[in-house]
Amino acid sequence: MATEFNEFLVFRNFFEDCDQALDSAAVIQLRTNTAIIVALSCLFLRRKCVPRITNFAENVVPQYSLQDFCIHFRICKDIFTIVLGRISRVISIEHPGGRPQVSPEKQLLVWIWYMVNQESIREVGHIFNLSKSTVHSLVKRVTKAVIATMKDIIKWPAQERQREISQGFQLDYGLPGVVGIIDGTHIRLSGCIGGAQDYINRKGYASMQLQVIVDDHLLITNAYTGWPGCTHDARVLRNSSVFTGIETDQVTLDPGKYIIGDSAYPLREWLITPFRDNGFLNIQQRRFNRVLSSCRQNVERSIGHLKGRVRRLRELPMHSPEDVCETIISGCILHNLCIVHHDDVENYIDLDPQHINDPNQYPNIHVNAPGGIVRRQQLMNHLQ
């Protein structure tokens, strides 16, 4: 680069000296000939290829034991096989010629490696012997394929399943009727998308909101993302499909069932939040708050597993809202697959306060619904 720059300075000074001695046509011809010479010189001096690790996916990964595969890819081989079976036909592309086609197996290995690590596109390409542009395009392709073919992995529980969830929570915490726990978490961004300062949250870094509802097994039953980091948790909820659906009876909620949230959410008959601690709570109210806090550990553990397993969600380098949202949702799908198949969940739960104590724990800004006040009082009395 320094040599090319020095050559450029020499040519520039030469042209300035010649401008006065030659007519314009001669100068233009001289400049054209020189440009051709420089271009040809750069072409012949340029490296024909960038040295990379070769045959990692083709020769090394097949030799991994099941334990080695889990260590490096952070999921079991069975889950890899399941995902590959669902998306293989979708990510298989017609080969236009030229470089060898990247097989579906290798595409999925690259995508999983990208999702469960925090390495850059360049580093991933170096490991799998792919260019940065190829890694970038196939990561987007596989992400879209996972969402398109496996979005049913995240689904609202049917009535029978709601009864099972309720029984599980009641056995563990003594509260009847709980079918889910709601909470928001912040997905850190490498920078504000489009320069919009709305992405800066109260902790001072850029993020995008992810709202999740989880069951008694840490399974995500609803995921909603897309709002900038400065958004109030209650506003995210009120704009989500689950809020509109439950309020209008379009989302099925078994009679007498409800979900639990923290003090940032509005109190409803179907959404129970703790009593606001103003320093004058009685013994029953404090006990109720402690039970809710214990119950809410499930959502914190679920988020801890999500970011502990899918480490890409600790910070996203994308600059497109669509890419950010799709990456987040595909990470939630990967999380649910691991939960469903009991893939060593406990060892991947990261309860780092930086990841679970999110910055937007605002107080509730909405008026509590009368039905919610009555329901919460009944639940408090049930604990006595």
Side-chain angles (χ1 to χ4, degrees), residues 313-381:
L313 298 186
R314 294 181 179 181
E315 182 172 352
L316 292 179
M318 292 88 171
H319 303 288
S320 164
E322 180 182 359
D323 291 344
V324 172
C325 292
E326 289 180 346
T327 303
I328 292 172
I329 296 301
S330 64
C332 293
I333 291 173
L334 198 56
H335 159 90
N336 270 13
L337 284 170
C338 294
I339 298 295
V340 169
H341 294 278
H342 310 287
D343 186 13
D344 197 16
V345 174
E346 293 296 327
N347 286 336
Y348 288 102
I349 294 179
D350 181 5
L351 294 179
D352 188 335
Q354 179 181 353
H355 300 145
I356 62 175
N357 295 334
D358 294 301
N360 283 4
Q361 296 301 327
Y362 295 105
N364 178 27
I365 60 175
H366 298 281
V367 177
N368 291 333
I373 297 175
V374 173
R375 169 65 67 84
R376 184 169 63 181
Q377 186 68 32
Q378 292 173 343
L379 292 171
M380 184 188 70
N381 294 336

Side-chain angles (χ1 to χ4, degrees), residues 106-340:
K106 185 172 181 177
Q107 291 186 55
L108 183 55
L109 287 173
V110 171
W111 180 78
I112 293 175
W113 189 282
Y114 177 80
M115 292 293 291
V116 302
N117 292 291
Q118 295 180 279
E119 296 171 352
S120 65
I121 290 284
R122 178 186 60 80
E123 292 170 316
V124 176
H126 181 74
I127 294 172
F128 287 91
N129 192 22
L130 298 170
S131 67
K132 290 191 295 184
S133 60
T134 300
V135 173
H136 182 266
S137 61
L138 73 82
V139 164
K140 292 186 65 173
R141 183 187 309 123
V142 176
T143 298
K144 291 180 181 295
V146 167
I147 295 174
T149 61
M150 308 188 74
K151 59 185 177 182
D152 59 318
I153 299 296
I154 303 176
K155 60 181 179 181
W156 187 253
Q159 287 186 312
E160 182 178 353
R161 175 59 187 146
Q162 289 183 28
R163 297 187 187 101
E164 295 174 355
I165 296 172
S166 175
Q167 292 173 0
F169 277 121
Q170 186 168 6
L171 288 174
D172 291 337
Y173 304 102
L175 276 176
V178 181
V179 296
I181 309 169
I182 187 171
D183 200 5
T185 185
H186 288 258
I187 306 300
R188 182 186 288 265
L189 306 176
S190 58
C192 294
I193 298 176
Q197 294 302 304
D198 287 345
Y199 286 95
I200 302 296
N201 58 41
R202 294 179 67 192
K203 289 292 185 179
Y205 64 85
S207 66
M208 182 175 283
Q209 286 265 34
L210 168 62
Q211 173 187 283
V212 295
I213 300 176
V214 307
D215 66 10
D216 56 329
H217 292 154
L218 311 185
L219 193 73
I220 296 176
T221 57
N222 183 268
Y224 177 60
T225 189
W227 285 86
C230 73
T231 312
H232 192 294
D233 288 358
R235 184 182 181 190
V236 176
L237 171 64
R238 292 178 71 89
N239 284 274
S240 66
S241 59
V242 69
F243 181 91
T244 305
I246 294 178
E247 290 281 302
T248 59
D249 295 327
Q250 294 179 355
V251 172
T252 303
L253 194 62
D254 207 33
K257 302 299 187 294
Y258 57 91
I259 62 179
I260 288 176
D262 60 27
S263 58
Y265 294 105
L267 179 64
R268 293 289 188 273
E269 188 173 356
W270 56 269
L271 175 55
I272 302 300
T273 61
F275 290 96
R276 182 178 179 181
D277 190 356
N278 53 12
F280 299 97
L281 297 181
N282 58 39
I283 296 176
Q284 290 78 16
Q285 291 171 332
R286 288 197 297 270
R287 181 187 178 191
F288 178 81
N289 283 1
R290 286 196 300 271
V291 172
L292 251 65
S293 178
S294 298
C295 195
R296 286 190 64 257
Q297 290 181 7
N298 272 50
V299 72
E300 293 176 353
R301 287 167 55 80
S302 182
I303 293 172
H305 176 265
L306 174 65
K307 293 185 179 180
R309 174 90 67 170
V310 189
R311 290 185 290 190
R312 178 61 55 184
L313 298 186
R314 294 181 179 181
E315 182 172 352
L316 292 179
M318 292 88 171
H319 303 288
S320 164
E322 180 182 359
D323 291 344
V324 172
C325 292
E326 289 180 346
T327 303
I328 292 172
I329 296 301
S330 64
C332 293
I333 291 173
L334 198 56
H335 159 90
N336 270 13
L337 284 170
C338 294
I339 298 295
V340 169

